[in-house]
Coordinates of all heavy atoms in Angstrom, one line a residue:
I248 N -11.3 -4.6 -10.3 CA -11.5 -6.1 -9.7 C -11.8 -7.0 -10.9 O -12.8 -6.8 -11.7 CB -12.5 -6.0 -8.7 CG1 -12.3 -5.0 -7.7 CG2 -12.6 -7.4 -8.0 CD1 -13.4 -4.8 -6.6
C249 N -11.2 -8.1 -11.0 CA -11.4 -9.1 -12.1 C -11.8 -10.3 -11.5 O -11.2 -10.9 -10.5 CB -9.9 -9.3 -12.9 SG -10.1 -10.5 -14.1
D250 N -12.9 -10.9 -12.0 CA -13.4 -12.1 -11.5 C -12.4 -13.3 -11.8 O -11.9 -13.4 -12.8 CB -14.8 -12.5 -12.2 CG -15.5 -13.6 -11.5 OD1 -15.3 -13.8 -10.2 OD2 -16.1 -14.4 -12.2
G251 N -12.2 -14.1 -10.7 CA -11.2 -15.2 -10.8 C -9.8 -15.0 -10.4 O -8.9 -15.9 -10.5
T252 N -9.6 -13.8 -9.8 CA -8.3 -13.6 -9.2 C -8.4 -12.7 -8.0 O -9.3 -11.8 -7.9 CB -7.4 -12.9 -10.2 OG1 -6.1 -12.5 -9.6 CG2 -8.0 -11.7 -10.8
P253 N -7.5 -12.9 -7.0 CA -7.5 -11.9 -5.7 C -6.8 -10.8 -5.9 O -6.7 -10.1 -4.9 CB -7.0 -13.0 -4.7 CG -6.0 -13.8 -5.4 CD -6.6 -14.1 -6.9
F254 N -6.1 -10.6 -7.0 CA -5.2 -9.3 -7.2 C -6.0 -8.3 -7.9 O -6.5 -8.5 -9.0 CB -3.9 -9.8 -8.0 CG -3.0 -10.8 -7.2 CD1 -3.1 -12.1 -7.5 CD2 -2.1 -10.2 -6.4 CE1 -2.3 -13.0 -6.7 CE2 -1.2 -11.1 -5.7 CZ -1.3 -12.5 -5.9
V255 N -6.1 -7.2 -7.1 CA -6.9 -6.1 -7.6 C -5.9 -4.9 -8.0 O -4.9 -4.6 -7.4 CB -7.7 -5.5 -6.4 CG1 -8.5 -4.2 -6.8 CG2 -8.8 -6.6 -6.0
L256 N -6.3 -4.3 -9.3 CA -5.4 -3.3 -9.8 C -5.8 -1.9 -9.2 O -6.9 -1.7 -9.0 CB -5.5 -3.2 -11.3 CG -5.2 -4.6 -11.9 CD1 -5.4 -4.3 -13.5 CD2 -3.8 -5.0 -11.7
T257 N -4.8 -1.0 -9.0 CA -5.2 0.3 -8.5 C -4.4 1.3 -9.3 O -3.2 1.1 -9.7 CB -4.7 0.5 -6.9 OG1 -3.4 0.2 -6.8 CG2 -5.6 -0.3 -6.1
L258 N -5.1 2.4 -9.6 CA -4.4 3.4 -10.4 C -5.1 4.8 -10.1 O -6.2 4.8 -9.7 CB -4.6 3.1 -12.0 CG -6.1 2.9 -12.4 CD1 -6.6 4.1 -13.1 CD2 -6.1 1.7 -13.3
P259 N -4.3 5.8 -10.4 CA -2.9 6.0 -10.8 C -2.0 5.4 -9.7 O -2.3 5.4 -8.6 CB -2.7 7.5 -11.0 CG -4.0 8.1 -11.1 CD -4.9 7.3 -10.2
Y260 N -0.8 5.0 -10.2 CA 0.2 4.5 -9.3 C 1.6 5.3 -9.3 O 1.9 5.6 -10.3 CB 0.5 3.0 -9.7 CG 1.4 2.2 -8.8 CD1 0.9 1.8 -7.5 CD2 2.7 2.0 -9.1 CE1 1.8 1.1 -6.7 CE2 3.5 1.3 -8.3 CZ 3.0 0.8 -7.0 OH 3.9 0.0 -6.2
L261 N 2.0 5.6 -8.1 CA 3.2 6.4 -8.0 C 4.4 5.6 -7.4 O 4.3 4.6 -6.7 CB 3.0 7.5 -7.1 CG 1.7 8.5 -7.3 CD1 1.6 9.5 -6.3 CD2 1.8 9.0 -8.7
F262 N 5.6 6.1 -7.8 CA 6.9 5.3 -7.4 C 7.0 5.3 -5.8 O 7.4 4.2 -5.2 CB 8.1 6.0 -7.9 CG 9.4 5.3 -7.5 CD1 9.8 4.2 -8.1 CD2 10.1 5.9 -6.5 CE1 11.0 3.6 -7.6 CE2 11.3 5.4 -6.1 CZ 11.7 4.2 -6.7
V263 N 6.5 6.3 -5.1 CA 6.6 6.3 -3.7 C 5.8 5.2 -3.1 O 6.1 4.8 -1.9 CB 6.2 7.8 -3.2 CG1 4.8 7.9 -3.3 CG2 6.7 7.9 -1.7
E264 N 4.8 4.8 -3.7 CA 3.9 3.7 -3.1 C 4.7 2.4 -3.0 O 4.3 1.5 -2.2 CB 2.6 3.4 -4.0 CG 1.7 4.7 -4.0 CD 0.6 4.4 -4.8 OE1 -0.1 3.4 -4.6 OE2 0.3 5.3 -5.8
T265 N 5.8 2.2 -3.7 CA 6.6 0.9 -3.7 C 7.3 0.9 -2.3 O 7.7 -0.2 -1.9 CB 7.6 0.9 -4.8 OG1 8.5 2.0 -4.7 CG2 7.0 0.8 -6.1
L266 N 7.5 2.0 -1.6 CA 8.1 2.0 -0.2 C 7.3 2.1 0.8 O 7.6 2.3 2.0 CB 9.1 3.2 -0.2 CG 10.2 3.3 -1.3 CD1 11.1 4.6 -1.3 CD2 11.1 2.1 -1.4
Q267 N 5.9 2.0 0.6 CA 4.9 2.2 1.5 C 4.2 0.9 1.8 O 4.3 -0.1 1.0 CB 3.8 3.2 1.2 CG 4.4 4.6 1.0 CD 3.4 5.5 0.5 OE1 2.3 5.2 0.1 NE2 3.7 6.9 0.5
S268 N 3.6 0.7 3.0 CA 2.9 -0.5 3.5 C 1.6 0.0 4.2 O 1.6 1.1 4.8 CB 3.7 -1.4 4.3 OG 2.9 -2.4 4.8
S269 N 0.6 -0.9 4.1 CA -0.7 -0.5 4.7 C -0.5 -0.4 6.3 O -1.1 0.2 7.0 CB -1.7 -1.4 4.5 OG -1.4 -2.8 4.7
E270 N 0.5 -1.3 6.8 CA 0.8 -1.3 8.2 C 1.4 0.0 8.7 O 1.3 0.3 9.9 CB 1.8 -2.4 8.5 CG 2.0 -2.8 9.9 CD 2.9 -4.0 10.1 OE1 3.4 -4.5 9.1 OE2 3.0 -4.3 11.3
D271 N 1.9 0.9 7.8 CA 2.5 2.2 8.3 C 1.4 3.0 9.0 O 1.7 3.8 9.8 CB 3.1 2.9 7.1 CG 4.2 2.1 6.4 OD1 4.8 1.3 7.2 OD2 4.6 2.5 5.3
Y272 N 0.2 2.9 8.5 CA -0.9 3.8 9.0 C -1.5 3.1 10.2 O -2.3 3.8 11.0 CB -2.0 3.9 7.9 CG -1.4 4.5 6.7 CD1 -1.1 3.8 5.6 CD2 -1.2 5.9 6.6 CE1 -0.5 4.3 4.5 CE2 -0.8 6.4 5.4 CZ -0.4 5.7 4.4 OH 0.1 6.2 3.2
Y273 N -1.2 1.9 10.6 CA -1.7 1.3 11.8 C -0.7 1.4 13.0 O -1.0 1.1 14.2 CB -2.0 -0.2 11.6 CG -2.8 -0.5 10.4 CD1 -2.6 -1.6 9.6 CD2 -3.8 0.4 10.0 CE1 -3.4 -1.9 8.4 CE2 -4.6 0.1 8.9 CZ -4.3 -1.0 8.1 OH -5.1 -1.2 7.0
S274 N 0.6 1.8 12.7 CA 1.6 1.8 13.7 C 1.8 3.3 14.2 O 1.4 4.2 13.5 CB 2.9 1.2 13.2 OG 2.7 -0.1 12.7
R275 N 2.6 3.5 15.3 CA 2.8 4.9 15.7 C 3.8 5.5 14.8 O 4.5 4.9 14.1 CB 3.3 4.7 17.1 CG 2.3 4.1 18.1 CD 2.7 4.1 19.5 NE 2.8 5.3 20.1 CZ 3.9 5.9 20.5 NH1 5.1 5.4 20.4 NH2 3.8 7.1 21.1
I276 N 3.8 6.8 14.8 CA 4.5 7.6 13.8 C 6.0 7.3 13.8 O 6.5 7.2 12.6 CB 4.2 9.1 14.1 CG1 5.1 10.0 13.2 CG2 4.5 9.5 15.6 CD1 4.8 11.5 13.3
L277 N 6.7 7.2 14.9 CA 8.1 7.0 14.8 C 8.5 5.7 14.2 O 9.4 5.5 13.5 CB 8.7 7.1 16.2 CG 8.7 8.5 16.9 CD1 9.2 8.5 18.3 CD2 9.4 9.5 16.0
Y278 N 7.7 4.6 14.6 CA 8.0 3.2 14.1 C 7.7 3.2 12.7 O 8.5 2.7 11.8 CB 7.2 2.2 14.9 CG 7.4 0.9 14.5 CD1 8.6 0.2 14.7 CD2 6.5 0.1 13.8 CE1 8.9 -1.1 14.4 CE2 6.7 -1.2 13.4 CZ 8.0 -1.8 13.7 OH 8.1 -3.1 13.3
A279 N 6.6 3.8 12.2 CA 6.2 3.8 10.8 C 7.3 4.6 10.0 O 7.6 4.1 8.8 CB 4.7 4.4 10.7

């Protein structure tokens, strides 16, 4: 977390994460 910006870095980062969304875990399995 860097002061002065709302963008937070996360690591390690995998390619599969580019196809994921946080909403996937809030929706039902078939729709997600």
Side-chain angles (χ1 to χ4, degrees):
I248 308 173
C249 177
D250 189 32
T252 176
F254 292 95
V255 174
L256 306 179
T257 58
L258 55 97
Y260 186 73
L261 308 178
F262 178 77
V263 71
E264 294 180 57
T265 59
L266 304 176
Q267 297 174 349
S268 171
S269 59
E270 191 177 3
D271 295 343
Y272 302 96
Y273 311 144
S274 305
R275 300 181 71 244
I276 173 177
L277 293 178
Y278 182 69

